[in-house]
Amino acid sequence: MDPILSRRDVRKYLKKSVPKEDIMQLLKAAMAAPSAEDERPWHFIVIDDDKTKNQISKTHSTFYIVAQSPSIIVVCGDEGLQKVHGFWVQDCSAATENAIIEAQYLGLGAVWLGIYPIKGRIQTIRQLLNIPTNIIPFSLLTIGYPAENKTLINYFDMSRVHFGNW
Ligand SMILES: Cc1cc2nc3c(=O)[nH]c(=O)nc-3n(C[C@H](O)[C@H](O)[C@H](O)COP(=O)(O)O)c2cc1C
């Protein structure tokens, strides 16, 4: 099935580690994303050690999934690599979504946990992962083999479509 239309967030994972080749494939997909002026202002932190995941999981109520997720990827933006001010957010969003779609394609599950623009989340994640001040932690992806099967929802909404003009 189309990995885009069959995707739902997966919040329960099997206790099975994700092969490094698959993580590399997700990173390849992320870095294949389009970016403004081809600036590619991203960095990725891959984490699978339990101590760090446990620490991150305690930083926000919905981040509990991090402790149960075999691997996580933190997507970061580097404003210094931008050619057009402000576009790093769209660039990092495209990279995050590409990785999620690739995860679905590989039979993995993922959840996008937002970090940017919430100041408290940015600060705690930066501190825990020693992220330099010029780099902004943007999103966190939990990755693992699904231990739940969610119902598919058709989100298509014709009332949001406008032809010709508004
Ligand atoms: C920008 C963004 C930020 C998100 N932040 C969180 C979050 O902090 N905690 C969380 O549990 N889920 C978060 N999510 C996941 C959404 O809640 C989830 O994608 C949404 O409920 C739709 O469900 P679906 O992914 O199954 O279609 C985020 C998703 C996006 C795109």
Side-chain angles (χ1 to χ4, degrees):
M1 200 191 265
D2 185 324
I4 294 176
L5 296 179
S6 61
R7 186 209 59 81
R8 290 291 318 278
D9 56 357
V10 172
R11 291 167 191 265
K12 289 183 184 143
Y13 302 103
L14 301 178
K15 286 193 190 323
K16 181 180 167 189
S17 51
V18 179
K20 192 168 173 228
E21 306 83 79
D22 285 5
I23 296 292
M24 293 312 292
Q25 193 66 19
L26 301 187
L27 297 172
K28 250 188 190 175
M31 290 193 225
S35 65
E37 295 267 358
D38 200 22
E39 58 197 12
R40 287 172 270 122
W42 41 56
H43 290 265
F44 303 88
I45 307 173
V46 180
I47 299 161
D48 52 16
D49 81 276
D50 287 337
K51 190 178 163 217
T52 311
K53 285 188 296 171
N54 280 328
Q55 285 173 326
I56 293 173
S57 74
K58 292 183 185 121
T59 62
H60 180 258
S61 61
T62 62
F63 281 24
Y64 71 91
I65 321 161
V66 171
Q68 299 147 26
S69 154
S71 292
I72 63 167
I73 299 175
V74 178
V75 181
C76 301
D78 184 343
E79 283 189 293
L81 291 177
Q82 287 184 111
K83 293 174 193 154
V84 190
H85 181 73
F87 274 128
W88 74 272
V89 176
Q90 289 97 311
D91 299 336
C92 286
S93 299
T96 304
E97 182 65 4
N98 264 20
I100 289 179
I101 295 165
E102 186 67 17
Q104 179 73 15
Y105 176 72
L106 295 174
L108 295 162
V111 181
W112 176 330
L113 298 177
I115 301 174
Y116 179 88
I118 301 172
K119 281 205 177 102
R121 293 190 192 185
I122 295 170
Q123 271 162 8
T124 46
I125 298 296
R126 169 174 284 132
Q127 215 166 19
L128 277 174
L129 303 179
N130 295 317
I131 298 172
T133 47
N134 58 316
I135 304 293
I136 305 162
F138 173 75
S139 64
L140 188 163
L141 289 180
T142 58
I143 314 282
Y145 289 96
E148 63 177 343
N149 208 350
K150 285 198 169 168
T151 323
L152 289 187
I153 301 171
N154 181 0
Y155 287 124
F156 185 75
D157 180 354
M158 199 60 202
S159 72
R160 302 287 181 90
V161 182
H162 313 270
F163 292 103
N165 60 33
W166 188 269

